[in-house]
Amino acid sequence: MTASPAPAERLRVPAADLIRLTPDPWTAPFWEAAAEHRLVVPRCTSCGTFRFPPSPFCWRCQAQAVEWVERPGAGTVYSFTVVWHPVLPDLADSVPYAPAVVELPDTDHVRVVGAVVDADASDVKIGLPVELVWRDVRAGETVPTWRPA
Amino acid sequence: MPRCPGVTLKDEAAIVGVGATPYYKRGRSLPQTPLELAGKATLAALDDAGLAITDVDGLALYSVGLGGDTSLFAQTLGIPEVRFTAMLTGGGGGAAGSVGLAAAAIDAGMATCVVSLMTLQQAASRFGASYAPRGRPGAQYSAPPSPEGNFIQPAGLMAPGQMFAVITQRHMYRYGTQREHLAEVAISTRENARRRPTALMRDELTLDEYFAARLIAEPLCLFDFCLECDGAVAVVTVSAARARDLRHPPVLVTASAHGGHGRWGQAITWMGMPDEMFASSGHRPVARRLYEMAGLGPADVDVALLYDHFSPMVLLQLEDYGFCPIGESGPFVADGNIRWPTGSLPVNTHGGNLSEAYIIGMTHVKEAVEQLRGQAVNQVEGAEVALVTGGPASLPTSSLLLRAA
Ligand SMILES: [Zn+2]
């Protein structure tokens, strides 16, 4: 984020201090790729079902093994909220921000949740096409955000 | 005695006592300790039943109930022997179901007199930020970063209200639900609270005031959120046979169910639920089993006490419990159906979590019992069947059908 003051309705992002990634062996490949600004999603090698968040079992066939498939960073807003009230003092300078649930095409409805950036609060709508903007929180920790495509 | 398939705990147990501490705004119950609040509510419920602590042999809990510490509770209050102690997993979803757990224990012969209980004291921590990664030291509700939470928290989803706002937004998009419909839930609930001495919010709430309130997480404004409270509520359950000899007419546990669709799962804290159930309360499978067990349907329900941590979740439960078709709860409430005393289905006659007090759903059980005894402040005339639900939340959700004996 730049230090310049945003207009009141311009969306911000949650304070970086509140973001800590704590990967486990099943989620680590997602975050390692994210740090390289690549979107990868795990797919069951037995039945082809995507699973998200990454997890140790396929909910459809219970197999464990996955292949990591790179996907283009594009999707549509499935749902969202615009947060105006900071629930913690640490978020006082972060509002308004807009967490969006974004569905990726051709992935069996994988949804990647991220704040919407480069937009006004009133721009966010269900069905809005969006593209990934990787947010480098600190060295080695990068999280997805979305901006109108 | 062996049972036929499909025969259940229907009408085998009854609620015979309810009790509560006063309800307090967040932090105002100090210097009482949580254990003290729990004990006061329990003794009040036993007194209501005409029973004593020496009768108690079971504890059936949910969420943060006693902080899990049934041992301290038993030794402090002097329960002679504990024969059953269990709690439903999850959070506020288990509120109504904790009484079903009590009924199951009694029906199975594992205990004879079971207390279900919620104690809440939010002086040092706030439920409202329960998915935030940082709270004050010792805050028991805050969620430290987890591998699963990593996919939600960095977007800023750190509070239940924000998460339910996402579900509400989808419901509005899919079915055309309006903020006026949320307002009708908030205002009708407030109208009920205004007549009750126990309610923390007794001022009139107008539509203009509703729309003038600050937005918290769109589309939810201040009045769509429940209160932040301290207090305790206890419920005493015994066998239906024993209940007949006690102080009040028994309130039969006609059915109870809990659980949910596996792929509902963590729901608001993963946002991956299948599209057909995303804009729901998660209660649909629970509702189906509840009605099946009771042999009753939505038309038989005289009063509904629906867990209202957020006003839109009342709408979604009206749909999921079959009071109106899926997607039509907005027009249903706009037609005045949930108003007491004129509506077809008075809802949250006690003022709910929104306007009476938020003790994680147990006030709803208390109100159902008072309605079926004919003792409610906002009495539904001739009420014989009450529905009580636990919180729409991650799995499990739960509910109760109670019936006047
Ligand atoms: Zn599979």
Side-chain angles (χ1 to χ4, degrees):
Chain A
M1 289 294 284
T2 64
S4 60
E9 307 288 313
R10 198 68 177 167
L11 289 172
R12 303 180 180 202
V13 290
D17 282 354
L18 288 174
I19 299 172
R20 284 280 182 286
L21 298 180
T22 53
D24 68 13
W26 288 92
T27 66
F30 177 89
W31 296 114
E32 286 160 10
E36 298 168 359
H37 293 197
R38 291 187 301 115
L39 174 64
V40 297
V41 184
R43 186 167 63 191
C44 176
T45 54
S46 290
C47 79
T49 299
F50 286 97
R51 59 179 97 149
F52 204 80
S55 64
F57 296 97
C58 172
W59 67 270
R60 211 168 243 148
C61 81
Q62 293 73 48
Q64 289 206 261
V66 295
E67 56 184 339
W68 289 88
V69 183
E70 188 155 345
R71 305 297 306 176
T76 55
V77 173
Y78 179 80
S79 196
F80 71 99
T81 181
V82 179
V83 175
W84 293 92
H85 171 76
V87 293
L88 300 174
D90 313 68
L91 290 166
D93 296 327
S94 300
V95 291
Y97 65 85
V101 179
V102 172
E103 200 159 278
L104 306 182
D106 308 318
T107 59
D108 203 14
H109 308 289
V110 162
R111 299 186 192 131
V112 177
V113 183
V116 178
V117 297
D118 298 340
D120 290 341
S122 57
D123 293 338
V124 190
K125 304 275 186 252
I126 291 176
L128 181 74
V130 289
E131 60 187 25
L132 256 178
V133 180
W134 291 106
R135 180 184 178 202
D136 296 317
V137 177
R138 64 185 69 80
E141 293 191 40
T142 298
V143 301
T145 64
W146 298 96
R147 75 171 164 227
Chain B
M1 196 168 73
R3 300 190 207 190
C4 304
V7 174
T8 63
L9 53 73
K10 178 183 177 183
D11 293 339
E12 296 288 346
I15 298 176
V16 292
V18 289
T21 65
Y23 306 135
Y24 305 88
K25 289 187 176 171
R26 180 176 73 84
R28 304 266 175 88
S29 63
L30 295 173
Q32 298 169 96
T33 66
L35 179 62
E36 190 177 350
L37 295 170
K40 285 177 177 177
T42 300
L43 294 174
L46 289 165
D47 186 53
D48 181 53
L51 292 168
I53 194 73
T54 46
D55 292 303
V56 174
D57 61 2
L59 297 164
L61 307 168
Y62 68 103
S63 187
V64 295
L66 281 167
D69 199 346
T70 53
S71 55
L72 179 61
F73 185 78
Q75 96 187 22
T76 302
L77 279 171
I79 298 175
E81 181 180 354
V82 174
R83 297 190 179 92
F84 180 84
T85 170
M87 60 196 296
L88 292 187
T89 55
S98 68
V99 178
L101 185 61
I106 290 162
D107 189 35
M110 297 186 76
T112 62
C113 177
V114 181
V115 173
S116 300
L117 172 69
M118 176 48 65
T119 309
L120 184 59
Q121 191 176 59
Q122 302 193 78
S125 58
R126 304 176 73 165
F127 242 23
S130 53
Y131 299 109
R134 185 193 291 172
R136 294 190 210 179
Q140 64 174 316
Y141 306 129
S142 66
S146 67
E148 291 77 25
N150 289 172
F151 292 87
I152 294 284
Q153 268 177 356
L157 286 177
M158 299 179 182
Q162 299 163 354
M163 296 165 171
F164 283 107
V166 172
I167 288 182
T168 307
Q169 197 80 257
R170 185 74 192 173
H171 195 272
M172 289 177 151
Y173 170 83
R174 186 162 178 157
Y175 303 114
T177 308
Q178 305 290 319
R179 285 193 65 206
E180 283 79 358
H181 301 141
L182 311 186
E184 170 60 14
V185 173
I187 291 169
S188 64
T189 307
R190 178 64 62 85
E191 282 299 303
N192 296 337
R194 291 183 67 199
R195 294 167 44 86
R196 285 174 62 83
T198 50
L200 293 178
M201 302 295 276
R202 301 184 61 192
D203 294 336
E204 184 181 15
L205 173 62
T206 67
L207 195 60
D208 285 346
E209 287 165 339
Y210 176 89
F211 276 101
R214 61 197 168 95
L215 287 168
I216 305 291
E218 287 181 33
L220 306 185
C221 72
L222 182 66
F223 294 117
D224 295 311
F225 280 66
C226 67
L227 308 176
E228 293 184 277
C229 298
D230 295 358
V233 179
V235 175
V236 180
T237 305
V238 303
S239 73
R242 187 176 180 191
R244 282 194 286 272
D245 302 326
L246 296 177
R247 182 170 289 163
H248 295 288
V251 170
L252 294 168
V253 178
T254 286
S256 181
H258 72 261
H261 193 295
R263 293 292 286 169
W264 177 256
Q266 290 190 299
I268 55 166
T269 58
W270 78 300
M271 297 293 177
M273 308 85 92
D275 183 55
E276 66 271 17
M277 66 180 81
F278 188 93
S280 84
S281 67
H283 274 266
R284 283 175 206 163
V286 175
R288 180 177 43 75
R289 281 186 286 117
L290 185 80
Y291 288 135
E292 275 175 13
M293 184 184 292
L296 298 173
D300 298 306
V301 175
D302 299 309
V303 57
L305 294 313
L306 305 179
Y307 194 104
D308 54 337
H309 42 9
F310 304 102
S311 65
M313 301 320 285
V314 171
L315 299 179
L316 275 51
Q317 290 176 91
L318 288 168
E319 298 174 7
D320 292 347
Y321 279 89
F323 297 110
C324 62
I326 301 296
E328 295 183 21
S329 56
F332 181 80
V333 301
D335 287 346
N337 281 299
I338 64 171
R339 291 266 177 165
W340 177 88
T342 52
S344 65
L345 180 75
V347 168
N348 294 346
T349 42
H350 57 326
N353 293 328
L354 292 170
S355 282
E356 186 191 41
Y358 173 73
I359 313 294
I360 320 189
M362 285 304 269
T363 58
H364 295 57
V365 180
K366 184 169 182 285
E367 172 69 4
V369 169
E370 290 173 2
Q371 286 285 349
L372 298 178
R373 287 177 180 172
Q375 295 175 338
V377 172
N378 298 318
Q379 182 65 43
V380 174
E381 203 174 329
E384 291 180 357
V385 175
L387 169 68
V388 189
T389 66
S394 55
L395 182 162
T397 64
S398 70
S399 51
L400 278 172
L401 274 172
L402 302 176
R403 192 164 65 81

